[in-house]
Amino acid sequence: MEINQLNLRVVADTYYFRIINDFEPNTDDDSRIKHAVAALLGYWMKKLAALNFSEYCYLPFDFSDQYTGCMKVVNVQKNAFRISYGYSLLVEGWNVDPLDPDDYTERVADFQATTEEIDIQSNAFVGMITTIYEQLIC
């Protein structure tokens, strides 16, 4: 994952995307991983669309044995989000469904930012996610 505005480049393990039980069992690992990441991005888009003013959410991306890496998104204006990237040690990757991490935001109580916060137009941020999503499902 790369977000130039945050000077962020995260290379994450895809292990938990590959071992999801019953997810596209008749496809090769590369296709399964791409479609699983697309499912996660689809979850992100739904979560962002439901975010009301002054609400926040955590969007997990890096599922590791000891932590999860995630994006913190706060709806700060009618059409702007404040975003940063960081991690949670309390919510470990093995304990999150990467296809539908529905209760993830409620479980993160120890978010530690590793980037600065930036404000970004909400439609631009969702547009970036949508573009990647569409590339993955093709």
Side-chain angles (χ1 to χ4, degrees), residues 20-116:
I20 299 168
N21 292 334
D22 300 327
F23 182 72
E24 298 186 359
N26 297 323
T27 59
D28 62 82
D29 277 353
D30 287 346
S31 294
R32 185 179 318 161
I33 291 167
K34 285 171 60 173
H35 290 141
V37 172
L40 176 65
L41 295 179
Y43 164 83
W44 283 20
M45 291 184 287
K46 285 187 275 184
K47 196 75 170 171
L48 292 172
L51 204 60
N52 293 315
F53 176 71
S54 78
E55 290 182 337
Y56 67 92
C57 66
Y58 296 105
L59 305 175
F61 177 74
D62 183 358
F63 300 90
S64 295
D65 288 341
Q66 297 84 16
Y67 68 93
T68 49
C70 60
M71 186 79 55
K72 181 178 182 180
V73 181
V74 183
N75 186 339
V76 292
Q77 294 179 18
K78 181 179 179 182
N79 51 3
F81 293 137
R82 180 163 294 141
I83 62 173
S84 59
Y85 192 83
Y87 62 90
S88 169
L89 295 175
L90 290 176
V91 186
E92 298 158 323
W94 60 267
N95 200 15
V96 180
D97 179 353
L99 298 180
D100 186 16
D102 197 40
D103 64 344
Y104 184 79
T105 292
E106 290 77 29
R107 295 170 52 203
V108 174
D110 66 332
F111 178 77
Q112 295 293 311
T114 57
T115 67
E116 299 292 323

Side-chain angles (χ1 to χ4, degrees), residues 1 9-15 17 33 61-64 67 69 85:
M1 177 171 63
R9 184 169 189 268
V10 176
V11 178
D13 192 345
T14 58
Y15 175 75
F17 291 104
I33 291 167
F61 177 74
D62 183 358
F63 300 90
S64 295
Y67 68 93
Y85 192 83

